[in-house]
Amino acid sequence: MPIPMPPAEVVDLLRAGLVIPAHPLALTVNRRFDAQHQRALTRYYLAAGAGGLAVGVHTTQFAIRDPKVALFEPVIELAGDTIDDYTAQTGRTIVKIGGIVGQTQQAVREAMLLRNHDYHVGLLSLAAMRDVSIDKLIEHCHAVSQIIPLMGFYLQPAVGGRPLPVEFWRRFAQIENVVAIKIAPFNRYQTLDVVRGVAEAHRADTIALYTGNDDNILIDLLTQYRIRTGAGDVSLRMAGGLLGHWACWTRKAVRQFDECRRLAAEHGSVPEPIMMLSNEITDANSAFFDVRNSFRGCIAGIHEVLRRQRLLAGRWCLDPDEDLSPGQMEEINRRS
């Protein structure tokens, strides 16, 4: 059986670089699925210039997979259909990325669902496999890759991820249909582990690196890495970003991304106003993501900003106890 690969156009788009928001979940005041606002939110991202969408990820709330909630497939299906309608109307290909979590049996099942709904890539979280060896992790990744092409995911340990050394990333990058990696450890050393692993696997030209470091977005997009390998020095850059932060203020994010890409292509110095903007974005992210309270209010924070944009009816989460942290509203007001 041939290994699944995305269409060549999708691979080219990922390598060229895209703005990819992590899609939130729209709910009614009764915490029921709000399909009308969900579809409108998807259309907003597409109209704002996003080149892809990531659905069924942390920002979409992992509880959608709970059998009592049973929203994983409806959310995946609605987003996919809305994107397909947009592509049919405009001719513009949008990269469809679906989140995959859990132990191998669950991950394979979710990968098959994504494939059945014509998603291009699975964003593979390893948070459920915190205590297994690297060998077992690689076996798990290979099993899922037989179903759908993969985007790797380095999730920061502070919110449930696990440390993943350069050895893991070197071996992961050798999986033939790994087409991208989202790097989101919020840590410079761990970010370098991923970059180095891809370089040492000789995949720098075929795996697209995407920043998920919401604390360092613009600098990640502007930075060129030089990694020494046995075959010589290898230069790499982040192609784009897959970010929960980009789930709001998306049109501005697209403009900032385009400016970063222009500056990176010129290989010149970074203007001081861009450095200042980078810090302002990090400051805003600290409010939205509730950094002061270990990210407890991160989803509600994004929802609150979307509510102010009139894209969501409210900031309700599936868990009634999940809301803004004390003082978070004041922080959002300060940055909005």
Side-chain angles (χ1 to χ4, degrees):
M1 180 176 175
I3 190 166
M5 291 294 295
E9 182 181 12
V10 167
V11 174
D12 290 344
L13 286 169
L14 283 168
R15 292 178 187 169
L18 301 170
V19 168
I20 305 177
H23 204 309
L25 177 69
L27 297 174
T28 67
V29 66
N30 296 318
R31 303 181 197 278
R32 303 286 186 181
F33 184 41
D34 186 345
Q36 181 179 358
H37 277 90
Q38 188 78 7
R39 186 184 291 273
L41 193 55
T42 303
R43 289 173 172 165
Y44 159 70
Y45 295 133
L46 302 177
L53 284 176
V55 189
V57 295
H58 173 258
T59 312
T60 326
Q61 301 181 54
F62 291 134
I64 60 174
R65 294 167 168 83
D66 187 326
K68 295 179 181 178
V69 176
L71 282 179
F72 183 61
E73 185 165 10
V75 166
I76 291 294
E77 183 175 15
L78 182 60
D81 288 348
T82 305
I83 293 170
D84 290 345
D85 289 345
Y86 174 86
T87 296
Q89 293 169 10
T90 65
R92 188 163 76 95
T93 298
I94 302 297
V95 178
K96 294 185 288 186
I97 300 170
I100 298 173
V101 305
Q103 302 283 338
T104 303
Q105 185 176 6
Q106 177 182 347
V108 166
R109 186 169 62 248
E110 292 189 2
M112 293 181 68
L113 186 148
L114 293 174
R115 186 182 66 184
N116 291 340
H117 286 285
D118 297 322
Y119 274 67
H120 300 123
V121 180
L123 178 67
L124 183 59
S125 170
L126 301 174
M129 307 187 73
R130 293 182 59 85
D131 300 319
V132 305
S133 67
I134 291 176
D135 286 343
K136 292 294 184 183
L137 282 181
I138 295 297
E139 287 179 14
H140 171 81
C141 297
H142 270 290
V144 181
S145 76
Q146 299 305 302
I147 311 298
I148 194 168
L150 297 183
M151 174 181 259
F153 184 15
Y154 200 159
L155 174 66
Q156 61 166 319
V159 292
R162 58 169 286 174
L164 294 165
V166 66
E167 177 191 352
F168 168 80
W169 292 110
R170 187 188 305 114
R171 294 175 62 182
F172 178 79
Q174 291 168 346
I175 298 173
E176 183 178 351
N177 62 343
V178 170
V179 294
I181 298 173
K182 172 180 175 174
I183 308 174
F186 288 34
N187 181 296
R188 295 295 90 203
Y189 301 110
Q190 293 169 335
T191 294
L192 281 164
D193 283 342
V194 183
V195 177
R196 179 183 159 198
V198 171
E200 292 180 353
H202 310 293
R203 294 292 308 276
D205 294 332
T206 55
I207 292 178
L209 301 180
Y210 275 71
T211 180
N213 289 319
D214 299 81
D215 63 337
N216 203 56
I217 298 170
L218 294 194
I219 302 303
D220 268 1
L221 294 172
L222 290 165
T223 298
Q224 183 171 15
Y225 297 88
R226 184 175 64 187
I227 305 297
R228 291 187 175 182
T229 73
D233 289 355
V234 178
S235 294
L236 305 92
R237 284 188 180 274
M238 300 286 183
L242 195 169
L243 296 151
H245 184 83
W246 283 352
C248 58
W249 297 355
T250 308
R251 193 176 297 276
K252 289 183 179 179
V254 170
R255 289 199 295 264
Q256 292 161 5
F257 172 71
D258 288 343
E259 177 66 6
C260 286
R261 187 154 54 174
R262 182 187 69 79
L263 289 169
E266 292 177 353
H267 299 287
S269 60
V270 178
E272 185 173 348
I274 294 294
M275 301 296 290
M276 293 173 62
L277 178 61
S278 174
N279 289 329
E280 290 170 354
I281 291 171
T282 299
D283 187 28
N285 185 265
S286 73
F288 300 170
F289 272 60
D290 194 26
V291 173
R292 291 184 177 184
N293 296 284
S294 301
F295 305 95
R296 185 175 59 190
C298 61
I299 293 176
I302 292 294
H303 286 187
E304 173 61 21
V305 180
L306 288 169
R307 184 193 67 78
R308 296 181 187 198
Q309 290 184 259
R310 299 183 180 180
L311 291 164
L312 289 181
R315 62 173 183 267
W316 310 293
C317 298
L318 288 168
D319 181 351
D321 295 327
E322 188 170 355
D323 201 350
L324 299 180
S325 294
Q328 189 179 359
M329 182 71 82
E330 291 76 10
E331 284 294 292
I332 293 174
N333 290 341
R334 183 177 64 84
R335 291 305 308 146
S336 297

